[in-house]
Amino acid sequence: MNHPSGISELVINRLPRYYRFLGEIMGEGNARISSRELSERMGLTASQIRQDLNCFGGFGQQGYGYNIEQLHSEIGKILGLDQPKKAILIGAGNLGRAIATHMAFESRGFRLIGIFDKKEALKGQIIKGLPVRSVEDLDDFCRENLPTCAILCIPKGEAEELCGTLIARGIEGFWNFSHCDLTLKYPGIVVENVHLGDSLAKLSYNIKNK
Amino acid sequence: MNHPSGISELVINRLPRYYRFLGEIMGEGNARISSRELSERMGLTASQIRQDLNCFGGFGQQGYGYNIEQLHSEIGKILGLDQPKKAILIGAGNLGRAIATHMAFESRGFRLIGIFDKKEALKGQIIKGLPVRSVEDLDDFCRENLPTCAILCIPKGEAEELCGTLIARGIEGFWNFSHCDLTLKYPGIVVENVHLGDSLAKLSYNIKNK
DNA sequence: TAGATTGTTAATCGATTAACAATC
DNA sequence: TAGATTGTTAATCGATTAACAATC
């Protein structure tokens, strides 16, 4: 068992993509789709799609295929997108601001309820309708509003420093844009890393070796 | 063979992380590290590290381990970080601006040489020392400066539209922040996707099922 | 009913881990 | 030399693909 939920991580990685494609296909007017047709659109095998979906139950019907809208909704539920989780964003620099304004949190299972920065100069500035707060107010804010997820748009050092505090305040999930490996220090927590530097280095390799 | 270079994609995914850790460890004063010690730091097995590295050649020495600085430099070369590739950024909105200002392109094998947006209002604005140009100037700019990589910070529809043009102008690699799957339409190109929405949905799943 | 397509089992393939001889 | 640790082969484990009976 690779993952607490008993489902392989590779399957979980594919779920958001299924969800995205089904969302697009929904707009085309057809009610049903077969694993074969979906596989051709997504560049997978039909077998893999059926295997993946059957980790969570039989959503299809023999001889018919899958109901697009129903499958989309089921995957949304599996991903927990129907249960908005309260998130706070730490670090209102370039990246933090972009994430706050650019991301469709609501349609991905989150609600952004607070933005924090240690720079006093930013305090009170409004981003996406939310005032930037001082990190000193984190304690009170968490007690009152009970966020369960933190988005880290701060440098490595600060992230490592703050992570323990955030866990103590009830944060269970991190969307981590900082270049630190939180899992090594805090094995229990849930972390989704977005290591843009690693991604860019990978692109470099692939361009070089294409 | 999973990958044009003959190396498994899973190995390539790990290379930037090796590079990052070795960079950190370099600062600690020791000259050498064993696969066992590195494995403990990174949360991998020593076996896997040795297997991974031996895809590219024997960088270690029996009884001694690996020279940290040399290994760091070798992996950098494998990733092509020592050969700066000219990149242009398309889309100077929130996300594009953050990427332009925030990313350490130079240390990841790239050099940002141009920023483009279709909004006339942004034209001439300076970001990271570069003036925002009109997308209409793309043609001339590419002919003159020969960029080989494009960073797509534009919506899905525009990305799909522009991608073909960019390929015709000599772009061979894409760092794709838009929600479209370029590989399906243009099978030959190199794409590194950063699908932030998918990443967030995955976090949602993992919080739900932790 | 006949055709289509799933759910599921079996076969294949690839990746990770373990073991150990080679060698510094 | 003796100890350590690699490079590499073999064993295990897991993921993907193929096949097909079940069934709509």
Side-chain angles (χ1 to χ4, degrees), chain A residues 6-62:
Chain A
I7 308 290
S8 147
E9 202 182 327
L10 294 166
V11 175
I12 297 163
N13 287 169
R14 284 190 289 269
L15 288 181
R17 193 156 173 268
Y18 287 131
Y19 185 77
R20 187 152 49 83
F21 270 79
L22 289 165
E24 281 171 31
I25 292 166
M26 259 169 67
E28 294 172 13
N30 297 318
R32 69 190 193 86
I33 194 163
S34 69
S35 57
R36 191 188 47 73
E37 197 190 333
L38 187 58
S39 76
E40 281 164 8
R41 292 223 190 191
M42 295 188 62
L44 303 170
T45 64
S47 242
Q48 181 164 58
I49 291 176
R50 293 204 298 279
Q51 289 273 25
D52 283 356
L53 298 179
N54 276 89
C55 292
F56 304 98
F59 302 124
Q61 202 167 305
Q62 277 105 328

Side-chain angles (χ1 to χ4, degrees), chain A residues 96-107:
Chain A
R97 239 192 307 265
I99 296 298
T101 49
H102 174 271
M103 280 303 301
F105 286 102
E106 299 288 336
S107 63

